[in-house]
Amino acid sequence: MLYLIGLGLADETDITVKGLDIVKRASRVYLEAYTSILLVEKEKLESFYGRDVILADREMVESSSDEILAGADTSDIAFLVVGDPFGATTHSDLVLRARELNIPTRNIPNASILNAIGATGLQLYNFGQTVSMVFFTETWKPSSFYDRVKENRSIGLHTLILLDIKVKEPTLESLARGKPVYEPPRYMTAAQCASQMLTTEEDRMENVYGSGSLAVAVARLGSNDQKIVAGTLAQISTVDMGKPLHSLILLGNRVHDLEKDFIRNFAVDVHSFDEAWKGLVSKP
């Protein structure tokens, strides 16, 4: 059996009892290490599980899945995923490859950012399509995400933005030489995301979200030191949320007073928050 096991969001203790039991008896244990990260090192997982853990980078999962699936028809293989196993399409692809080889699979779910975001006080029913924000460069500022943000905004729904991470990314120079040299890991901050959203708005000029629009930034959600900050995009673009991982929510106007009361406690500045909220709910 190939087991896809969700680890939750924070540390080694977030795994479910069911998942931990499988990890302890599996023949091999892999940790997917590129779509997201836990807030603890691999060694801490190994100590808690009492097992060696093999890091599975993007190249292994996407190009060398046979290595992961080897022997899974006669023994149990555990594939660990931060959050919930099906939060990334890569893992669906791994399951499809297993099925082609007649290897049975089983999913062990866990908390993900998609449901844990409810800790902000924003109601999950009021979220629209989730989008991703990638790091901009001087010559590349993709804005396809903006169209989905606009669709959500048009029907008053919040938008959860998942932020780019760069793990084991080769430099362009090293690729040209044929010998990859990897850049240090980078994790987009909520401030960078807010700034890039404003840059995109300036380029597209469709008046979807401006500097005075309300947003909520979150960091390390589910951990003991999680941080939540509410404010305008201009304010969020200057806020230091600390260590990764971060996410950003753009507020829609299909809101409830309970949501206001909840997130107001996280406001950078209560007065400016109240003014921005008035502008939010007054929009058609």
Side-chain angles (χ1 to χ4, degrees), residues 29-85:
V29 181
Y30 293 91
L31 172 63
E32 189 267 89
Y34 67 91
T35 60
S36 189
I37 59 166
L38 277 184
L39 304 179
V40 295
E41 299 299 322
K42 175 176 78 80
E43 290 72 22
K44 203 160 187 179
L45 297 183
E46 291 177 324
S47 175
F48 186 75
Y49 300 156
R51 295 296 310 276
D52 290 335
V53 174
I54 305 165
L55 284 180
D57 59 18
R58 182 187 296 271
E59 183 178 353
M60 175 183 284
V61 178
E62 294 186 348
S63 303
S64 304
S65 62
D66 289 348
E67 183 178 338
I68 297 171
L69 297 174
D73 55 339
T74 57
S75 60
D76 291 335
I77 305 300
F79 185 78
L80 311 181
V81 180
V82 177
D84 185 83

Side-chain angles (χ1 to χ4, degrees), residues 12 35 76 86 122 125 154 166 204 210 217 240 244-245 269 281 284:
E12 72 279 10
T35 60
D76 291 335
F86 290 110
L122 297 174
Y125 298 107
S154 70
K166 298 290 187 185
R204 296 285 294 261
D240 182 2
L245 292 171
D269 174 75
V281 297

